[in-house]
Amino acid sequence: MRITRKAVLASVATVSVLALAACTGADEGAGGGAGDDDNAGINTDTALNIAWDQPFSSANTESTTGNATKNAVVMYMANSRFNDYDHDLNLVIDESFGTYTKVSDDPLTIEYTYADTAQWSDGVAAGPADLLLEWAAQSGKFNNVEAEYDAEGNVVNQDAIDAGIFFDASNPAVALIEDTPEIDGDSITFVYSKPFADWETAIDNNLPAHIVAQRALGIEDAEEATDALVSAITENNSEDLAKIAKVWSDDWNFASLPDDPQLLVTSGPYNISEFVEEQYLTLTANPEYKGDHEAVFNKVTLRYNGDPMGQVQALQNGEVDLISPQATADVLTALEAIDGLEVESNIEGTYEHVDMQQANGGVFDPATYGGDAAKAQKVRQAFLKTIPRDKIVQDLISPLNPDAEVRNSFTQVPGSPMYDGIVGMNGQATEYGEVDIDGAKALLAEVGVPSVQVRMLFDPNNTRRTNQFEIIKQSAAQAGFDVVPYTVQVDWGTDLSNSTSFYDAALFGWQSTATAVTESDANYRTGATNNYYGYSNPEVDALYDELQTETDPAEQERILGEVEKHLIDDAFGVTIFQFPGVTAWNTSKVGNVQKISISPTIFYGFWEWTAGEAAAE
């Protein structure tokens, strides 16, 4: 297999991880088509079309490769989980799938029990082996080799990967479960080696263990395959684990409809029935689903279009029924002029920011200055002093949200309980509250670097990002920085992680996937999932270790404040604004749309949607 690190752009992992937004034919795929008497209660004539910006690429949202919102919104409808957030961002257990109970605080012990109605779409019961597999994959306990990458994100030790055990995942929370979990009937028990503040979102259901084992071990019978997988994990069978890891990491990555229906087996209300690369993906109601989150629409099709105004036009033309494009004043004005729509403006859980490469041989890397870290740091600081954060907000965001303000925290949303305290500690508002061209020039003169070219990565097809780039470019030029667009290798999202040698600064957004206090760990810890920049500070790592076990909100605020102070002192980057949002839908096709600020945004509560009179295909 060829492994590359894929971008996590608008990303969901069950643990605290920020994430990176035609005509249909005959139904295909696991679980059979929907449109017969098996789908009691579902109007098999109903269909809903939704515009989305990035195409699906993986059904394994817990792998490093698949951990992206573009995948998670699909699997949110296709798979069941032990819990989900409600509209008020409270965690709610789906008892029709299973329950969990804290058995003990010392040591932290959690028991998960699958419900009788928890079932995969091929008729096999979901059960403890599925969660045991996720523990094996995400804990890192069995990995005996790690992928090594070149600057373009290509694996350079492929032979070692193929010969060893390599689960393409990293979950610090699951790594705290050091002892092999115990299975008892329909239950599995996890014992943490130390307390963990966000244990409720640490691990959840993902891939079907029986199918992973069937594919990896060549066992046809589902029950026998499941037993073999459990034995491989509990007995640490290296030969079998190597095969299991390869299948878990690779097989559920696909950019069009796979030929093998095993890869389309799901545990939730929908199956993937059609998928045309870069064009659309159709979900069809799963006739084998027995839970409480029953599908309202027989078919839901995601039609991929990254152009916000293109989505508006598609909605006006009746090609799609629901959109939530990146908001601009032009988008909002155009939507408000269309009859028959419900249009809502809101604040999203995504924030804009600029990060800088520190280990790619570029202008912000100490290696460029003979290993002089202080010199590279001052060049980074100089660049950050030129970024006109307030102008960006006033010119591009205030027309949509008059109350918009510059965001000054890496971990907290403006207005949240910890925001003011952490902003008071981190120093971002003081250091980079206003553009300081003279200060930037002085820093560059001090280190003897009068002019610097900065290659900036951003989405060139995104109007707002293009406008931000131009504002930054013009400001930075006054201090001697020549800011140029990055050289596209594949696409900006994939290049974010795979082509790090081709850019020096990245302009994009992180989307919150949970309310977990440890969510930002994946961004700033050394070697973490979303840390694409080579940033490493042992004190930050130690602070996150401390945060994992801290349950006192005051102490959590102190720890995160210290983390952010290091990020500012190290000139990691800057935050700019919280995304304004706009959502619009055709009220004759769909009702009761309840977008939430974190992933899965507009897909939240799809089982509570209502189908309008015009919802028939």
Side-chain angles (χ1 to χ4, degrees):
M1 63 181 174
R2 179 179 181 272
I3 304 168
T4 57
R5 292 179 298 181
K6 301 295 183 183
V8 183
L9 303 181
S11 78
V12 174
T14 40
V15 70
S16 330
V17 176
L18 289 165
L20 297 182
C23 297
T24 58
D27 293 338
E28 301 176 22
D36 50 38
D37 293 337
D38 289 334
N39 259 336
I42 299 173
N43 182 338
T44 56
D45 292 329
T46 56
L48 183 70
N49 290 280
I50 303 174
W52 197 249
D53 59 351
Q54 287 189 305
F56 182 87
S57 63
S58 176
N60 185 355
T61 58
E62 300 304 334
S63 71
T64 302
T65 298
N67 179 22
T69 297
K70 63 182 182 180
N71 301 321
V73 294
V74 173
M75 301 315 296
Y76 173 74
M77 294 188 288
N79 276 345
S80 294
R81 293 155 299 280
F82 281 91
N83 63 30
D84 278 307
Y85 287 98
D86 67 12
H87 196 259
D88 296 320
L89 301 187
N90 300 306
L91 279 172
V92 177
I93 297 175
D94 178 4
E95 294 186 3
S96 68
F97 187 73
T99 58
Y100 52 82
T101 304
K102 184 194 289 186
V103 177
S104 170
D105 282 308
D106 187 18
L108 177 61
T109 305
I110 313 298
E111 181 184 68
Y112 292 78
T113 301
Y114 282 79
D116 293 340
T117 46
Q119 179 175 290
W120 295 100
S121 57
D122 60 356
V124 175
D130 299 317
L131 218 49
L132 180 70
L133 171 61
E134 292 311 306
W135 169 77
Q138 298 178 47
S139 67
K141 177 181 177 67
F142 298 104
N143 280 11
N144 57 19
V145 62
E146 293 298 328
E148 299 174 4
Y149 303 92
D150 61 20
E152 284 73 43
N154 300 308
V155 168
V156 296
N157 62 333
Q158 192 62 59
D159 291 344
I161 291 292
D162 291 341
I165 302 171
F166 177 76
F167 285 101
D168 179 29
S170 175
N171 188 329
V174 177
L176 296 177
I177 306 168
E178 296 179 353
D179 294 333
T180 302
E182 294 186 2
I183 292 177
D184 181 10
D186 291 328
S187 299
I188 183 170
T189 301
F190 296 103
V191 179
Y192 287 74
S193 59
K194 58 183 178 180
F196 180 63
D198 296 317
W199 63 265
E200 284 191 275
T201 55
I203 191 169
D204 212 322
N205 213 63
N206 182 30
L207 297 183
H210 66 286
I211 292 179
V212 171
Q214 286 174 321
R215 300 175 71 83
L217 305 178
I219 301 173
E220 184 174 346
D221 182 78
E223 185 175 353
E224 291 180 15
T226 301
D227 290 343
L229 179 139
V230 171
S231 295
I233 294 171
T234 57
E235 298 173 11
N236 197 2
N237 183 324
S238 298
E239 182 178 354
D240 285 352
L241 282 170
K243 298 173 184 177
I244 290 168
K246 181 179 177 64
V247 168
W248 187 93
S249 300
D250 289 359
D251 285 18
W252 273 263
N253 301 328
F254 49 87
S256 61
L257 194 72
D259 293 330
D260 191 340
Q262 277 193 322
L263 299 176
L264 302 174
V265 169
T266 64
S267 60
Y270 283 101
N271 299 133
I272 297 174
S273 56
E274 300 175 73
F275 185 17
V276 177
E277 187 170 2
E278 301 284 340
Q279 295 185 38
Y280 66 88
L281 179 149
T282 296
L283 294 152
T284 302
N286 171 16
E288 300 297 328
Y289 178 68
K290 298 179 180 179
D292 292 341
H293 295 169
E294 293 182 358
V296 172
F297 290 89
N298 180 48
K299 287 185 178 181
V300 176
T301 297
L302 281 67
R303 299 192 179 277
Y304 297 114
N305 187 340
D307 176 15
M309 288 304 293
Q311 291 191 21
V312 173
Q313 188 66 53
L315 183 61
Q316 184 174 27
N317 294 345
E319 298 165 12
V320 298
D321 311 308
L322 169 62
I323 68 173
S324 188
Q326 187 171 92
T328 67
D330 290 342
V331 165
L332 182 58
T333 299
L335 288 172
E336 290 175 338
I338 301 173
D339 293 333
L341 300 183
E342 183 79 18
V343 180
E344 287 187 354
S345 298
N346 41 53
I347 300 298
E348 297 186 348
T350 303
Y351 69 93
E352 196 81 335
H353 59 102
V354 173
D355 304 334
M356 290 178 289
Q357 280 289 344
Q358 301 184 28
N360 71 337
V363 295
F364 300 132
D365 183 353
T368 300
Y369 309 102
D372 190 333
K375 188 172 185 178
Q377 179 185 25
K378 289 178 179 178
V379 176
R380 295 195 301 272
Q381 290 171 333
F383 180 63
L384 295 179
K385 285 179 178 291
T386 72
I387 296 178
R389 299 192 298 150
D390 187 66
K391 179 175 176 57
I392 289 173
V393 171
Q394 294 304 316
D395 289 2
L396 304 179
I397 309 305
S398 293
L400 289 160
N401 176 17
D403 298 324
E405 60 183 53
V406 172
R407 171 167 164 155
N408 280 308
S409 170
F410 291 92
T411 66
Q412 305 299 308
V413 176
S416 60
M418 294 184 187
Y419 181 79
D420 289 341
I422 288 176
V423 168
M425 284 186 275
N426 69 22
Q428 182 170 196
T430 302
E431 289 295 322
Y432 306 116
E434 297 181 0
V435 172
D436 184 4
I437 300 299
D438 290 339
K441 287 180 176 179
L443 283 170
L444 292 181
E446 180 182 341
V447 297
V449 185
S451 62
V452 178
Q453 184 182 82
V454 176
R455 301 163 298 169
M456 179 165 278
L457 177 148
F458 61 97
D459 182 357
N461 298 315
N462 185 303
T463 302
R464 190 165 76 198
R465 292 260 164 74
T466 301
N467 290 338
Q468 288 182 76
F469 167 76
E470 291 297 335
I471 292 172
I472 293 171
K473 178 180 177 65
Q474 292 173 16
S475 178
Q478 300 176 53
F481 289 97
D482 177 23
V483 186
V484 300
Y486 80 109
T487 302
V488 179
Q489 302 303 301
V490 180
D491 63 73
W492 82 270
T494 302
D495 291 351
L496 179 66
S497 59
N498 282 15
S499 302
T500 57
S501 66
F502 290 91
Y503 70 92
D504 304 302
L507 171 68
F508 66 105
W510 280 130
Q511 182 180 61
S512 293
T513 66
T515 60
V517 71
T518 56
E519 184 177 50
S520 60
D521 188 305
N523 290 24
Y524 310 120
R525 182 186 289 273
T526 302
T529 303
N530 297 344
N531 183 353
Y532 307 125
Y533 318 107
Y535 175 71
S536 180
N537 184 325
E539 293 182 59
V540 169
D541 297 345
L543 285 166
Y544 275 118
D545 288 342
E546 184 181 353
L547 182 65
Q548 286 183 342
T549 62
E550 184 55 67
T551 57
D552 181 355
E555 282 299 293
Q556 291 173 348
E557 181 176 323
R558 174 192 63 79
I559 293 167
L560 287 171
E562 290 184 21
V563 166
E564 294 203 20
K565 182 67 165 60
H566 282 297
L567 294 175
I568 294 300
D569 291 346
D570 296 338
F572 173 86
V574 290
T575 54
I576 306 178
F577 58 82
Q578 203 71 25
F579 272 37
V582 61
T583 303
W585 61 94
N586 183 340
T587 55
S588 70
K589 294 294 292 289
V590 61
N592 202 31
V593 175
Q594 305 175 68
K595 179 181 179 181
I596 60 175
S597 60
I598 64 176
S599 182
T601 65
I602 59 174
F603 298 90
Y604 163 75
F606 61 86
W607 57 91
E608 296 179 346
W609 288 341
T610 57
E613 294 179 358
E617 293 184 85

